Amino acid sequence: MSITFSRMPIGDEMGLEAETHLSDDGIAAGAAVLYDEQGAFGICTTTALANERRQIRGDAIDELSESFAVTQPRVR
């Protein structure tokens, strides 16, 4: 993912509008416009490559998430 700003965002809230998505034969590219309270301020682009032999199972992601989870001490 790559984000390019034409100016710094203003305010606490931002919006994202999908602009384009192209895909063919396991390769994808997309773009979105970033908005704040004064209008457009940036562009986000992303690319993806599908590889059937390197798929990740959902339960494997859950296991990794649990192993990397940081536990916070209880405050009394």
Side-chain angles (χ1 to χ4, degrees):
M1 181 169 54
S2 175
I3 299 175
T4 305
F5 294 102
S6 61
R7 63 173 171 79
M8 293 303 292
I10 297 170
D12 294 332
E13 296 180 349
M14 293 190 316
L16 179 75
E17 180 181 1
E19 191 76 14
T20 303
H21 178 264
L22 306 170
S23 62
D24 186 34
D25 200 27
I27 301 170
V33 178
L34 303 170
Y35 290 91
D36 63 13
E37 60 190 38
Q38 292 191 353
F41 69 88
I43 296 174
C44 176
T45 59
T46 186
T47 57
L49 177 62
N51 185 340
E52 285 183 22
R53 293 176 292 183
R54 300 286 295 174
Q55 300 255 339
I56 299 174
R57 300 180 333 272
D59 60 332
I61 294 171
D62 293 339
E63 290 172 16
L64 286 171
S65 296
E66 290 171 8
S67 68
F68 288 113
V70 176
T71 57
Q72 299 294 324
R74 292 187 69 146
V75 177
R76 295 180 186 223

